[in-house]
């Protein structure tokens, strides 16, 4: 008898600490192993690392890693932070040119856009449980819809 895998999600709240992105990547790796999705770890970790580092570098408050799977083989990695400003290059309207070859930064969101099957942003204007801010997300896996 075939069984349907229920959807699942995890949220890891992180302090504004330089070690937090590494801690979150380790937690993500454990989550993927626990849900028999280790093949997604390299891409999911890259997506999470870029989104987490972006939040750490460009915001002052706490942030959170959210991991969600509604379909087998499909994963959404999202990072919430308190700043409602959408980073340049993360929406379809803002497509900056790639950074210079000798640039020391500016590649993170280009990597996300290149490696994810889909990506997006939700600006959370109401304070309530979400505390405002924004949620940047990226999807990977066989079940992910191409953008």
């Amino acid at each position: 008898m075939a069984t349907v895998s229920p959807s699942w999600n995890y949220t890891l709240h992180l302090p504004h600490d330089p070690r937090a992105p590494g801690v979150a990547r380790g937690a993500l790796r454990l989550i993927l192993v626990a849900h028999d999705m280790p093949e997604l770890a390299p891409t999911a970790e890259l997506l999470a690392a870029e989104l987490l580092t972006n939040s750490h570098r460009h915001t002052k408050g706490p942030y959170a890693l959210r991991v969600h799977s509604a379909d087998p083989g499909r994963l959404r990695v999202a990072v919430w932070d308190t700043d409602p400003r959408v980073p340049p290059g993360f929406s379809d309207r803002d497509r900056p040119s790639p950074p210079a070859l000798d640039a020391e930064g500016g590649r993170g969101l280009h990597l996300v856009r290149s490696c994810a099957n889909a990506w997006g942003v939700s600006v959370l204007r109401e304070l309530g449980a979400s505390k405002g801010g924004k949620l940047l997300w990226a999807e990977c896996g066989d079940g992910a819809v191409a953008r």
Side-chain angles (χ1 to χ4, degrees):
M1 180 164 105
T3 60
V4 176
S5 177
S7 67
W8 51 265
N9 63 67
Y10 295 86
T11 302
L12 178 62
H13 296 274
L14 301 157
H16 194 268
D17 181 293
R19 296 167 289 211
V23 169
R25 285 192 317 274
L28 173 60
R29 204 172 309 123
L30 291 172
I31 291 166
L32 293 175
V33 168
H35 287 280
D36 295 323
M37 301 172 82
E39 71 282 357
L40 294 181
T43 302
E45 282 188 59
L46 177 112
L47 297 173
E50 296 304 334
L51 297 177
L52 288 160
T53 301
N54 192 63
S55 286
H56 181 75
R57 291 186 67 197
H58 300 290
T59 67
K60 302 250 186 265
Y63 44 100
L65 173 66
R66 297 179 179 179
V67 184
H68 173 73
S69 179
D71 301 314
R74 183 177 180 177
L75 184 72
R76 178 175 281 197
V77 175
V79 173
W80 165 84
D81 65 47
T82 56
D83 188 346
R85 294 174 297 167
V86 176
F90 207 75
S91 69
D92 283 330
R93 294 187 313 263
D94 306 324
R95 284 201 174 210
S97 57
L101 293 176
D102 60 348
E104 292 188 21
R107 290 183 178 79
L109 296 180
H110 289 282
L111 286 170
V112 170
R113 291 176 69 125
S114 296
C115 296
N117 295 85
W119 66 89
V121 62
S122 297
V123 177
L124 310 168
R125 302 226 185 264
E126 297 195 21
L127 291 178
S130 70
K131 300 178 186 166
K134 69 178 168 300
L135 184 73
L136 298 177
W137 58 267
E139 292 183 353
C140 62
D142 293 335
V145 178
R147 181 140 168 120

